[in-house]
Structures are given as C-alpha cells and as structure tokens.
Amino acid sequence: MSTYKIQVVEIKERTHDTFSFVTTKPKDYQFKPGQATELSILKEGWEDEKRPFTFTSLPGGEHLEFTIKTYPSHEGVTNELRKVKTGDSFEIGDAWGAIEYKGKGVFLAGGAGITPFIAILRHLQREDNLAGHKLIFANKSPEDIILKDELHTLLGENFINILDDNGNTDHPEGRIDKDFLKKHISDFDQHFYVCGPDKFNEAMIGYLKELGANAESVVFEE
C-alpha cells in the first residue's frame, strides 16, 4: 500500500472533544465520499500507531479534512491528536471503506459514526440532490452533536437528533429503538446507511430487518 505525508494547515474545534484537521492533499490522491484511510502522527513514538479515520472533505477539494472525536482518557492516538498544531505532519495510506452512497435513503449515525456521512451529505448538496434524505443522529448530550448547525442547514426537519440526556432541549431523550424508527421512517423500501459503535450497528441492522428493510439495501462498514 502506498503512503503519503501530509501537513496540517488548519485545526477547527467542532465540539468540546471533536476537531477537524485540514491538511495538504497529495497530488492525484483519490477517494470517494464515505471512505477512510489509515492515519498516523509523524511524531517520535507515534509513527507506527495507525488508526482509521474518515475523510470529511470532498474528493475535488484542494485540501483533505478529517473530523475526529478525541478521547483524552484513553491516552492513545486521539488524545495525542489534541496536541497537534498547524505545521505538524501525518502519514496516510490509500483510501478504503464499504460505506458508499448507493441512492436516496436514511442515514443512522451514532456519535462519531457521523463522519462518513458528512462528506456524502456535502457531496449531495453540491450535486443538488439532498431532497428526500433523512439523518437520525444519536448522541449522549446536546454538546456532543458534531456539526449540528451545518447538518440542520443541509437537512432541515429531516435532521433528527436523539440524546441519552437531552439537557432540557426539544430533542427526544433515549436510544434509537424499533418504535423510534417506525415513528420517523414511513418507507422501509429504500437505502439505509448505518455507522456507529459495533453494538449500535448490530442493533440498527436488526431493527431494520425486523421492520422489512432489504438486507441488500443496508450499507455499513463490515
């Protein structure tokens, strides 16, 4: 697999623990919206610590962007990313991933699982093809909603949040279950895109199948 050195040119704080890292882009580098790559920080002791992160930029852009939720308590790569500054460098490999846009449908995201959908939704906006899509996004609290304003601008009333603790906001409180999906989805004969922690993915795929979704129409990272 090829490797590429890229340099951080901008860091954007998205939430209290999520940041977008904008970097240089290797010449002729190719990826599809929804895909990821293996990334490592080019600092002593971290060069071989490769982790998968999703592109949140569009393929035709001048730069690459990775929107990454960090976990300070883990003392791993994402915690180290909190120390990265503009001018620092990453190493990435080729693009890969099974999450790819197949057609109009519903996106189901849990926490940082939103990241593959960011580039897909941005691409659909650029193609003037957002109408009819819906995003259901599960998080712990209002402060954890990544790119809330942008997603609301993109999808309007088709951007549905559910929170473990709604913080006295108007968002529904709890977890996505079969009844919640039935309430917010009228047609299960369409594409469904699922991304989140393993348990989230397993639960969503199970609910969708029980509600009549075609297994071949459910797109997720295996």
Side-chain angles (χ1 to χ4, degrees), residues 17 23 28 44 46 50 119 126 138 168 177 200 204 207:
D17 60 4
T23 74
D28 299 325
E44 185 176 355
W46 293 96
K50 299 183 184 296
R126 178 163 292 187
N168 297 318
D177 57 18
F200 175 89
M204 294 308 105
Y207 296 146

Side-chain angles (χ1 to χ4, degrees), residues 59-186:
E62 181 181 353
H63 296 96
L64 299 177
E65 180 190 81
F66 302 88
T67 300
I68 300 173
K69 184 178 180 69
T70 63
Y71 300 88
S73 61
H74 291 188
E75 298 185 357
V77 170
T78 65
N79 180 53
E80 194 66 21
L81 282 167
R82 297 175 69 92
K83 306 173 188 177
V84 166
K85 300 177 181 179
T86 56
D88 289 346
S89 295
F90 299 147
E91 183 178 86
I92 61 171
D94 295 322
W96 53 267
I99 296 181
E100 182 180 348
Y101 183 71
K102 303 289 187 180
K104 196 162 295 184
V106 177
F107 297 87
L108 300 170
I114 187 65
T115 54
F117 303 152
I118 293 170
I120 291 174
L121 293 169
R122 287 172 172 174
H123 178 72
L124 290 171
Q125 180 196 38
R126 178 163 292 187
E127 297 292 313
D128 195 24
N129 191 30
L130 265 177
H133 295 84
K134 182 174 289 188
L135 168 63
I136 300 177
F137 193 9
N139 282 285
K140 291 182 179 179
S141 70
E143 293 75 28
D144 294 312
I145 304 174
I146 298 169
L147 293 177
K148 178 180 179 180
D149 292 341
E150 179 180 351
L151 293 170
H152 184 265
T153 298
L154 290 175
L155 294 162
E157 64 182 12
N158 285 322
F159 175 36
I160 300 165
N161 290 279
I162 182 168
L163 306 169
D164 290 353
D165 177 1
N166 67 10
N168 297 318
T169 65
D170 293 333
H171 299 308
E173 187 172 274
R175 301 286 180 93
I176 300 175
D177 57 18
K178 189 161 68 171
D179 289 338
F180 190 85
L181 293 176
K182 285 174 65 176
K183 178 180 178 180
H184 292 282
I185 302 170
S186 58

Side-chain angles (χ1 to χ4, degrees), residues 191-203:
H191 290 284
F192 291 92
Y193 303 88
V194 179
C195 191
D198 289 343
K199 289 184 178 179
F200 175 89
N201 293 347
E202 292 170 8

